[in-house]
Amino acid sequence: MAKLGIVKVRLDREVNGYILTCASTKEAIVVDPGLPVERLAEQTKGLTVKYIVATHGHPGHVAGKDELKELTGGQTAIHSADAKQFLRSADRYLQDGDELEFGEFKLSVMHTPGHTPGSVCFVVANHAFVGDTILAGGIGKQTPETDVRRQMMSIGTKLLRLPLSTALYPGHGPATSLQNEVAQNPIFRGAPTRA
C-alpha cells in the first residue's frame, strides 16, 4: 500500500497550505498556494509537484500559485466558477468529479459552492481538504461572494456523504474529523444529519 504524506504549512493570513505526497513515487500536490511561496517550495524539495490546486479563489489561498508553478513546474488548477468570479487563470479548470493523479493516489474534486461560487473540497483516501467550506467549530468568514445557504447545502449534500471517520483539513485553524464536526460544530444544529 502506498503511503500518503501530508504536510501542513502555515501561510500569511493564517491560511493553511498542504503538501500531499505519494511516498513511493515522490509525486506531490500542493493545496492552497498562498504566500510566502518559499515556505511551500522548501517543503517540496526532492518532490515532483504535479498539481498546484486551490480550494477557492480568495487571495490568501491562491496568491502564490504562479510563482510556485515557476519554482516547481506543477500545473495550476482552480474551479471554473472562481476563475470567473476572481478573474484568475490556471492551467486547468476543475469541475465536480474530476480526479487528479499523483503517484499511486487520486485527488477527487468535490464542488462545494457557498463560501465562493467555485469553492471545492479535495478528497484523497480518508482525508478531505475543505478550504473555508467548513472549519473546526464553524465555517469560513463570510465575504461578499459568500452564499451561506448554498454553503450549508454543499456541506449537507456533499461533505456528509463522506464516511464520518474522514479527516478534515480546513483552510484555517486545526484539522478535525467529520465525526467531530457533526457532533460539535454549531452549524449542524438543526441541519439534517444522517441517522
Side-chain angles (χ1 to χ4, degrees), residues 85-168:
Q85 174 84 38
F86 299 99
L87 300 176
R88 293 204 175 262
S89 63
D91 297 319
R92 179 166 176 170
Y93 298 103
L94 301 171
Q95 299 294 338
D96 191 54
D98 283 356
E99 290 190 328
L100 304 177
E101 292 188 22
F102 63 112
E104 297 172 42
F105 292 97
K106 277 192 177 92
L107 191 71
S108 304
V109 178
M110 185 189 275
H111 183 210
T112 49
H115 180 68
T116 62
S119 282
V120 292
C121 296
F122 297 108
V123 181
V124 55
N126 194 21
H127 308 277
F129 297 84
V130 294
D132 291 358
T133 294
I134 189 167
L135 307 180
I139 56 176
K141 284 192 187 81
Q142 289 188 44
T143 60
E145 52 281 335
T146 301
D147 177 342
V148 173
R149 232 190 77 236
R150 225 177 147 195
Q151 189 166 350
M152 298 310 294
M153 274 185 61
S154 289
I155 291 168
T157 58
K158 299 274 182 74
L159 281 181
L160 285 179
R161 287 206 182 134
L162 295 171
L164 282 175
S165 58
T166 304
L168 304 180

Side-chain angles (χ1 to χ4, degrees), residues 22-97:
C22 170
S24 55
T25 63
K26 299 278 188 255
E27 289 186 345
I29 291 185
V30 177
V31 177
D32 282 354
L35 298 171
V37 165
E38 300 72 47
R39 279 195 208 152
L40 292 164
E42 247 164 59
Q43 298 293 337
T44 63
K45 287 206 173 89
L47 304 174
T48 305
V49 175
K50 291 205 61 187
Y51 296 101
I52 298 163
V53 301
T55 55
H56 62 290
H58 285 151
H61 299 259
V62 294
K65 75 178 172 56
D66 297 329
E67 200 183 329
L68 192 62
K69 176 192 165 86
E70 276 173 35
L71 292 171
T72 64
Q75 273 205 343
T76 57
I78 57 177
H79 191 275
S80 49
D82 271 13
K84 286 193 191 90
Q85 174 84 38
F86 299 99
L87 300 176
R88 293 204 175 262
S89 63
D91 297 319
R92 179 166 176 170
Y93 298 103
L94 301 171
Q95 299 294 338
D96 191 54

